[in-house]
Amino acid sequence: MAEQADLIIFGARGDLAGRKLFPALYQLDYCELLSPKTRIVCVARDAMPRETFLESLQPKLQSQIQPERWTEQQWQKFASRIVYVHLDFNSAEDYVRLAAELHCAVRIYYLATPPSLFGPICQALGEHQCLNDDSRIVLEKPIGHDLASSVAVNETVAKYFSDENTYRIDHYLGKETVQNLLVLRFANRFINTQWDQSCIDHVQITVAETVGIEGRWGYYDKVGQLRDMVQNHLMQLLCLVAMEAPNSMTAESIRDEKIKVLRALRPIDENTITTHTVRGQYAAGYMGGQPARGYLNEDDCTVEQSDTETFVAIKAHIDNWRWAGVPFYLRTGKRMAEKLTEVVISYKALPHNIFSGNPASNNRLVIRLQPNEGIEMRMVSKLHSLRDRMALVKQDLNLDFLGSSAMGRIPEAYERLFLDVISGDQSLFVGREEVEESWRWVDGVVEAWKRQNMEVRKYQAGSWGPAKSELLIEKDNRSWHG
Ligand SMILES: NC(=O)C1=CN([C@@H]2O[C@H](COP(=O)(O)OP(=O)(O)OC[C@H]3O[C@@H](n4cnc5c(N)ncnc54)[C@H](OP(=O)(O)O)[C@@H]3O)[C@@H](O)[C@H]2O)C=CC1
Ligand SMILES: O=C1O[C@H](COP(=O)(O)O)[C@@H](O)[C@H](O)[C@H]1O
């Protein structure tokens, strides 16, 4: 069981808190993984009694928990941990009231707010006696809007929290299957020794979502898919696929290796931007047979035109010995045909095909991160037949993680990450340098888009993105997996 802590959630009435943070904390409580003394101090701007806050939280939370895990008794136990503090972010008095509610030696401030508030909140916490010797800060992604703003946020945070006490979340790192990438690569000799440009033809990373931007339009339209997803989640996946083996599983060793990958990413500039990237925006279409709105017709959309991308495809290169000549094709988008996160490692054909009459066939390793978490290995084997002397077939070895999970369910990322913050383990959190290196590369893409005035191409909701994204890979005689 984790040690006792005050978990103070800023933005407790927001989307992230409601959809991810409270369900994760409920699950930890259900599994008896939280100390009985741990309290959840919920901070938001509206003044209301604690009971009113709980009344609004309860149905939302219940709708996200498996019925067999929800009982009145369990809910009451969870609710008894909750304290509600209304706070105007600019009011000194309110911070003093907040400090008076804190009792544990470990204070964990979780900022589930827009990143523009990270600096001001840290400053106010520091100035109004809310910090003790073991106060930790958890920052949600994205940290900043570009390199300059990210540096500014990190500088302000660093005045009040040491780096050891700063936890930068990228919730993809908390996903069990993402952590499994490390295990797959560094605990299996036969995979490890076939993991470079001599064997691998190319890598694909797809993070496709079916959700649109409903309810988050105001935030998203200023950000776009490149900053919302590529700068953080896709870059982290790319690092885990491409990095060298860390010396150990410490945060420092892992970060050191990821930074080298980010530094080796070839910049995309105005000369390569049109051949190496595609931007898209969803238009009306169909999702699961039902009509779906376009981005510009979402309820909270306030403009007639927007140049914000909801889809990005990128052909990236990592300029080092291991990956020379191996393209990494990345794509991510909202309102796509399926929810799917996968990494596909496509192997080179063998140098000579002795099975004449059969096309040379490539092996492929598909690492499915969500849903249906598992691994598929495409092999070639003989078709059992007397008629065909030597016909070959492609067959998939399939490993299903859910089937092999000791828990019968795969824990959500935020469950792991909360436990790690409480126990002080930073190995699944992102270092400052990583965040900044990633921004440096992404800023280059944004700048090149501007210089080339690169338009967003419309794609139908429920499709796999703009047709141009197929071309991005097909012009290299390859195709997206799926
Ligand atoms: N939603 C998601 O799926 C994900 C979100 N994130 C990140 O998590 C953070 C929170 O996201 P999300 O919950 O969607 O955000 P919301 O827009 O729902 O905002 C969260 C809370 O922040 C407070 N807030 C917003 N604007 C202001 C303001 N100008 N001044 C004071 N308080 C303000 C509000 O608190 P109040 O209720 O008190 O008004 C609001 O409830 C963001 O940094 C986001 O990028 C990261 C991964 C996924
Ligand atoms: O960080 C974010 O992630 C979600 C996708 O997370 P997932 O765990 O459901 O894959 C994305 O919808 C959101 O826009 C982004 O801010």
Side-chain angles (χ1 to χ4, degrees), residues 219-354:
Y219 153 79
Y220 189 89
D221 196 53
K222 294 188 224 88
V223 175
Q225 196 73 352
L226 182 71
R227 292 184 175 99
D228 188 49
M229 295 293 288
V230 178
Q231 189 273 340
N232 33 80
H233 306 322
L234 276 92
M235 282 294 118
Q236 286 296 321
L237 292 178
L238 177 135
C239 285
L240 296 182
V241 171
M243 72 192 215
E244 299 300 316
N247 295 347
S248 67
M249 280 300 289
T250 61
E252 206 185 4
S253 302
I254 297 173
R255 288 173 183 178
D256 284 351
E257 296 307 330
K258 288 195 285 181
I259 288 165
K260 287 185 204 157
V261 174
L262 292 166
R263 292 201 179 124
L265 266 176
R266 189 183 301 167
I268 297 183
D269 61 19
E270 58 196 283
N271 299 315
T272 48
I273 193 82
T274 51
T275 49
H276 285 57
T277 69
V278 176
R279 308 177 68 215
Q281 187 185 84
Y282 63 88
Y286 288 87
M287 302 287 306
Q290 298 297 316
R293 293 174 187 198
Y295 178 70
L296 294 172
N297 289 317
E298 293 288 11
D299 269 345
D300 42 350
C301 168
T302 49
V303 297
E304 286 192 356
Q305 281 307 320
S306 165
D307 187 39
T308 300
E309 79 286 346
T310 61
F311 173 95
V312 194
I314 299 181
K315 177 178 164 183
H317 287 97
I318 299 169
D319 287 331
N320 63 19
W321 274 33
R322 185 180 285 273
W323 297 113
V326 179
F328 280 67
Y329 297 98
L330 317 177
R331 65 174 170 168
T332 177
K334 306 280 192 234
R335 282 266 185 265
M336 293 182 68
E338 264 176 56
K339 172 140 181 97
L340 173 78
T341 302
E342 67 178 19
V343 174
V344 179
I345 310 295
S346 193
Y347 288 87
K348 290 182 171 165
L350 286 162
H352 173 62
N353 181 11
I354 62 169

Side-chain angles (χ1 to χ4, degrees), residues 158-177:
K159 284 188 197 153
Y160 302 97
F161 294 89
S162 66
D163 216 41
E164 302 81 76
N165 284 333
T166 304
Y167 292 75
R168 297 176 189 82
I169 284 218
D170 183 310
H171 75 273
Y172 270 51
L173 294 180
K175 290 181 192 271
E176 287 282 310
T177 44

